[in-house]
Amino acid sequence: MKVATTAAHIGLERVSRTGAVTVPIYQTATFRHPALGQSTGYDYSRSGNPTRQALEEGIAALEGGCRGFAYASGMAAITSLMFLFRQGDHLIVTEDLYGGSYRLFEKIFLQFGLSFSYVDTSDLAAVREAVRPNTRALFVESLTNPLLKVADIEGLSAICKEHDLLHIVDNTFLTPYLLRPFDQGADITIYSGSKYLAGHNDTVCGLVAVKDPELAERVYFHQNGVGAVLGPQDSWLTIRGMKTLTLRMDRQQENAQAIAEWLSKHPQVGKIYYPGLPDHPGHDLMKRSCKGFGAMIAFEVKRPEQINQLLMKTKLISFAESLGGVESLITFPQVQTHADIEPETLERLGINNLLLRLSVGIEDKDDLIADLAQAFEEGEHA
Ligand code: PLP
């Protein structure tokens, strides 16, 4: 079945007493037992809830995995996964990654004896070189936040197999519609479901899918043990959002391509990072391995003063954190999403005082371009 069909049918109860087409919100903490030693399959909502389960089955189906898991946020999902590792374990991580993941690794898990090497995961040789005897996993953003570097998941999976590493892919920017990491050899996918999957800038959630049943048992043990699960209302909202994933993504990508092409010709724009542009270093790889280029754009303005100008003067595009929803958002990664990364690292990577990140929504592309055009203009006259 194609992703669009699977997504539209998440939560559809084929065998149900009422015939409801969407899964109900089971707003209950606990479940009555029929008799001593018997269970309906549900005991307590941290351990399992039918609404959350519908969402978990949905993400597993979209990924082609054996099992899915829903958490209170993307960070809760990553935190729960980190408990798969032990003191002394080493992980290789994408260097240009979401600042919150970096903060979790460096400011929280480092003190519990895990260590992390940050490398350019679009460079297979650099990843291979970073492997140590105690390396246990590779944690890679398939399309990086915010510089949109493209990872060769198949090539990275081969390195992971060679060295017996767990291959974890943060696929937030692409979603299973554009890239299915399991088809290219990965073991676990993780999502900030708050982004494209829920899709409406109204829910914070995290999702994980696992390929192998034995590994899934371990992930479940930690989900239940750590307890950072998604509540039934937010599970329902996420299902509701995911049903239209492919429609939204098609529109968002089409808009992003048009905006990136427009920005690339604008005299006040410097570097532009969008893999749909033919001169982007990951363009050919993405064309081969993904169903599209996504809808995130990063670009540099020419002068630092233009950052504030654009953030303040865009009217349709909101100055706000997050991404992937139907409304377009613009952020300044250096001081917002990536503030926890050391200034020298940010500068070396190119996350500088000229860089803005644009999450393109489903609005009409002409309106979005007009909004950006007037924001640049007013600044030039200010
Ligand atoms: N991974 C990526 C790539 C992200 O962009 C984010 C948040 O922006 C996260 C993980 C964390 O997800 P959440 O904000 O849902 O905790």
Side-chain angles (χ1 to χ4, degrees), residues 73-75 78 98 141 145 170 172-173 192 194-195 205 323:
S73 67
M75 292 320 301
I78 300 174
Y98 170 56
E141 285 187 8
N145 182 358
D170 181 337
T172 298
F173 276 28
S192 170
S194 330
K195 313 298 194 270
C205 80
L323 59 106

Side-chain angles (χ1 to χ4, degrees), residues 52-108:
R52 193 178 89 222
Q53 189 183 341
L55 170 61
E56 292 176 332
E57 286 170 3
I59 188 67
L62 287 178
E63 289 284 14
C66 79
R67 198 157 165 190
F69 302 92
Y71 300 84
S73 67
M75 292 320 301
I78 300 174
T79 301
S80 215
L81 288 183
M82 284 303 113
F83 290 108
L84 292 172
F85 304 103
R86 306 228 176 296
Q87 199 175 17
D89 287 352
H90 169 252
L91 286 86
I92 300 170
V93 178
T94 299
E95 64 177 353
D96 154 33
L97 90 162
Y98 170 56
S101 304
Y102 179 84
R103 178 177 56 209
L104 177 73
F105 298 155
E106 286 301 302
K107 310 240 162 105
I108 299 178

Side-chain angles (χ1 to χ4, degrees), residues 64-200:
C66 79
R67 198 157 165 190
F69 302 92
Y71 300 84
S73 67
M75 292 320 301
I78 300 174
T79 301
S80 215
L81 288 183
M82 284 303 113
F83 290 108
L84 292 172
F85 304 103
R86 306 228 176 296
Q87 199 175 17
D89 287 352
H90 169 252
L91 286 86
I92 300 170
V93 178
T94 299
E95 64 177 353
D96 154 33
L97 90 162
Y98 170 56
S101 304
Y102 179 84
R103 178 177 56 209
L104 177 73
F105 298 155
E106 286 301 302
K107 310 240 162 105
I108 299 178
F109 277 104
L110 200 67
Q111 63 187 328
F112 293 107
L114 298 187
S115 62
F116 304 88
S117 293
Y118 299 89
V119 304
D120 179 354
T121 46
S122 67
D123 177 352
L124 295 179
V127 172
R128 193 171 273 113
E129 219 165 276
V131 178
R132 300 181 191 164
N134 61 338
T135 306
R136 297 286 170 262
L138 171 66
F139 181 99
V140 55
E141 285 187 8
S142 49
L143 187 59
T144 65
N145 182 358
L147 292 174
L148 304 160
K149 284 193 181 164
V150 183
D152 173 357
I153 299 299
E154 208 168 354
L156 291 169
S157 288
I159 297 175
C160 289
K161 299 268 158 344
E162 227 174 275
H163 296 278
D164 201 18
L165 312 182
L166 206 56
H167 190 185
I168 305 171
V169 179
D170 181 337
N171 199 31
T172 298
F173 276 28
L174 291 176
T175 80
Y177 179 40
L178 302 184
L179 171 75
R180 297 214 322 174
F182 295 162
D183 295 347
Q184 299 184 23
D187 301 302
I188 298 182
T189 52
I190 171 277
Y191 291 91
S192 170
S194 330
K195 313 298 194 270
Y196 291 99
L197 291 171
H200 292 73

